[in-house]
Amino acid sequence: MILDIINKKRLGLELSYQELSQAFNGFLNGDVYDYQMSSLLMAICINGMTDDEIFSLTKIFIDSGDVLDFSDIPGIKVDKHSTGGIGDKTTLVIAPIVASCGVPVIKMSGRGLGYTGGTIDKLESIPGYRVDLSDEEIIKQVHDINLVVTGQTADLVPMDKAIYALRDVTATVSSIPLIASSIMSKKIAGGSDKILIDIKVGNGALLTNEEDAKKLSDLMIKIGKVYHKEVRTMISDMNVPLGNRIGNSLEVLEAIDVLKGEEKNNNFVDLCFDLSSEMISMGLNISKEDALQLVNKSIEDQSAYAKFVEMVNYQNGDISKIKVGKNQYQVLAKKSGVLTKLHALELGKLSLALGSGKVYIDDKIDYSVGIYLKKQLGDLVKKGDVLAVLYYNDKLPKIEYNKIFTID
Ligand code: URA
């Protein structure tokens, strides 16, 4: 009985594979109602799960859909996943860098969640770009150009889609066991040989402290071992946004600038170089130092940028048609000093209020709106300097200046 299962978890006892399967598969086929699943998820959130429970849940998630097989494609396929943040457009930069260095990349990305943007929404800001490739199209494209970034196919871990939607509205998103099985089930079903996870920590991330990030990292590595997949993790800061642009089309344009070598020396570029070197080291079995040299070369000789353009063209996109909001509003510094706060979460909220993401399920995203930060954390600013430019079309939302910026 589902009530016995919920009660057992409420008391902090371990659930068997059969009990978890009965509850979760029951939810997917309609025998368990969403209020019962919500209650079980909250009990999991509060009491946690043992490693065995997490392994069982991950298997139940994977078995709910297709497991892709890319073994026909030569080379070690390396996938990467970020737990999500503000201004996080790393996939747009690292996927072409890694592919141009000879490692096949098949990346199935997701949409935005809450205040954080999603890679697929960003790519859709490129007019024409297809994010709905079939398994056959994915395989053909990797064979042809070594690189695909598309949306998750409908049959990839359908359990995660159903459970995630419920977690999103029941305050059960930030449970470490639930995050681990959600991400790892998708990565394992996604068919890559090795996996790199970028775990974000800070006010603009799901996890706000380093201890939780380490727990999540250990768990993901353990789940990888069960499936004989090498998993590496990196823990990176999400108290300030990544790079200088937030919002779909603005972020694509920033990624293009980085790939062309025109944008350098900020937290986003550093993270991209770090993640790409790690992926190349995994894919080519070489040291991270040697991999970094390949990364630098791919930017200098523009091969990474050429690979990005090749992918966009292959997926029907046209970068010359990317649009940004028709109106601009400058946010000016109210005093002189050093910029000591650039609050990621508050900037994420402002970008959402501009229309770059969804508040309600039926909302339409405005791909062209967003924020262009003109000063970075630690910069010296003078009163009246432009701190940020907001791109918008219709209405300008309220700007919570004091929550976003601090100048000392
Ligand atoms: N990203 C996911 O795919 N799942 C989670 O649970 C959290 C972040």
Side-chain angles (χ1 to χ4, degrees):
M1 266 257 291
I2 182 67
L3 289 188
D4 296 330
I5 297 173
I6 300 172
N7 241 325
K8 206 168 160 187
K9 194 74 245 177
R10 182 181 65 81
L11 296 169
L13 301 173
E14 184 177 58
L15 296 177
S16 67
Y17 175 86
Q18 282 72 19
E19 287 166 327
L20 286 164
S21 169
Q22 191 186 330
F24 282 82
N25 282 313
F27 174 63
L28 207 56
N29 65 33
D31 293 341
V32 169
Y33 294 112
D34 55 6
Y35 49 84
Q36 294 170 319
M37 182 47 75
S38 306
S39 168
L40 179 60
L41 291 171
M42 188 52 87
I44 290 174
C45 244
I46 293 168
N47 290 323
M49 282 181 134
T50 63
D51 284 359
D52 281 343
E53 286 180 304
I54 296 167
F55 299 152
S56 298
L57 191 61
T58 309
K59 177 166 166 38
I60 293 165
F61 270 49
I62 294 170
D63 291 347
S64 72
D66 292 347
V67 175
L68 304 178
D69 181 0
F70 297 122
S71 52
D72 281 354
I73 296 164
I76 297 174
K77 276 74 63 190
V78 186
D79 198 355
K80 165 259 167 195
H81 190 90
S82 155
T83 57
I86 314 294
D88 187 352
K89 62 237 125 198
T90 43
T91 294
L92 304 180
V93 173
I94 67 177
I97 291 180
V98 173
S100 72
C101 293
V103 180
V105 178
I106 305 155
K107 178 87 185 79
M108 273 172 262
S109 292
R111 294 199 177 273
L113 184 78
Y115 300 113
T116 65
T119 302
I120 289 305
D121 299 329
K122 295 174 210 224
L123 283 168
E124 274 186 341
S125 74
I126 305 173
Y129 189 94
R130 283 190 57 208
V131 295
D132 59 350
L133 304 183
S134 65
D135 293 357
E136 294 70 32
E137 286 174 311
I138 293 172
I139 290 171
K140 181 173 183 323
Q141 186 169 332
V142 191
H143 269 295
D144 290 352
I145 67 165
N146 221 29
L147 172 63
V148 179
V149 183
T150 181
Q152 280 149 20
T153 55
D155 293 331
L156 195 93
V157 198
M159 180 84 77
D160 183 61
K161 289 192 187 79
I163 295 293
Y164 206 101
L166 198 56
R167 284 170 62 205
D168 202 19
V169 291
T170 53
T172 52
V173 170
S174 53
S175 148
I176 294 173
L178 294 177
I179 297 175
S181 33
S182 161
I183 293 179
M184 290 308 292
S185 59
K186 284 177 289 197
K187 296 293 104 181
I188 288 157
S192 285
D193 304 301
K194 298 187 180 184
I195 300 156
L196 175 62
I197 311 275
D198 177 16
I199 302 175
K200 298 261 175 259
V201 186
N203 62 50
L206 284 182
L207 301 181
T208 48
N209 70 73
E210 192 110 352
E211 205 185 319
D212 283 348
K214 290 214 174 83
K215 275 193 207 149
L216 181 61
S217 161
D218 290 347
L219 252 179
M220 289 174 154
I221 292 170
K222 279 192 208 161
I223 297 173
K225 286 212 171 96
V226 173
Y227 292 88
H228 309 290
K229 305 245 183 209
E230 183 189 338
V231 175
R232 292 192 201 170
T233 61
M234 279 176 46
I235 296 177
S236 59
D237 179 67
M238 192 24 78
N239 286 302
V240 285
L242 272 177
N244 55 30
R245 281 164 260 186
I246 305 163
N248 299 293
S249 58
L250 287 170
E251 290 188 44
V252 173
L253 294 172
E254 182 178 8
I256 291 173
D257 288 349
V258 174
L259 286 165
K260 283 180 165 172
E262 288 170 5
E263 188 82 66
K264 294 182 182 134
N265 304 326
N266 65 33
N267 61 353
F268 173 56
V269 180
D270 293 347
L271 182 70
C272 287
F273 277 43
D274 209 1
L275 287 167
S276 332
S277 319
E278 195 75 58
M279 283 176 81
I280 294 165
S281 143
M282 292 166 89
L284 299 182
N285 282 320
I286 58 174
S287 70
K288 206 168 159 191
E289 293 69 37
D290 288 348
L292 181 59
Q293 292 196 7
L294 295 179
V295 173
N296 282 322
K297 186 168 170 294
S298 77
I299 297 292
E300 276 156 25
D301 67 13
Q302 302 253 320
S303 55
Y305 175 61
K307 188 52 79 183
F308 176 80
V309 173
E310 194 180 13
M311 172 184 80
V312 171
N313 291 342
Y314 203 108
Q315 291 182 229
N316 284 350
D318 184 348
I319 52 175
S320 69
K321 297 216 171 105
I322 297 174
K323 283 207 183 75
V324 295
K326 58 179 188 281
N327 301 311
Q328 295 180 17
Y329 176 84
Q330 296 185 330
V331 183
L332 306 181
K334 292 187 180 171
K335 64 178 200 177
S336 300
V338 176
L339 187 61
T340 54
K341 183 176 77 182
L342 207 47
H343 200 280
L345 178 60
E346 291 300 328
L347 283 159
K349 288 183 185 173
L350 178 58
S351 176
L352 194 65
L354 283 161
S356 69
K358 292 185 180 193
V359 179
Y360 298 103
I361 241 149
D362 296 333
D363 284 353
K364 267 190 101 55
I365 293 178
D366 185 343
Y367 295 110
S368 67
V369 300
I371 305 163
Y372 196 150
L373 298 167
K374 295 293 178 180
K375 297 286 175 193
Q376 296 286 318
L377 200 71
D379 279 359
L380 263 180
V381 298
K382 285 206 297 292
K383 186 174 173 189
D385 276 355
V386 179
L387 295 177
V389 178
L390 309 189
Y391 286 79
Y392 67 104
N393 287 313
D394 309 318
K395 232 180 88 201
L396 197 60
K398 181 168 186 287
I399 301 159
E400 301 277 4
Y401 180 95
N402 291 327
K403 289 187 182 167
I404 299 173
F405 306 103
T406 301
I407 298 171
D408 287 319

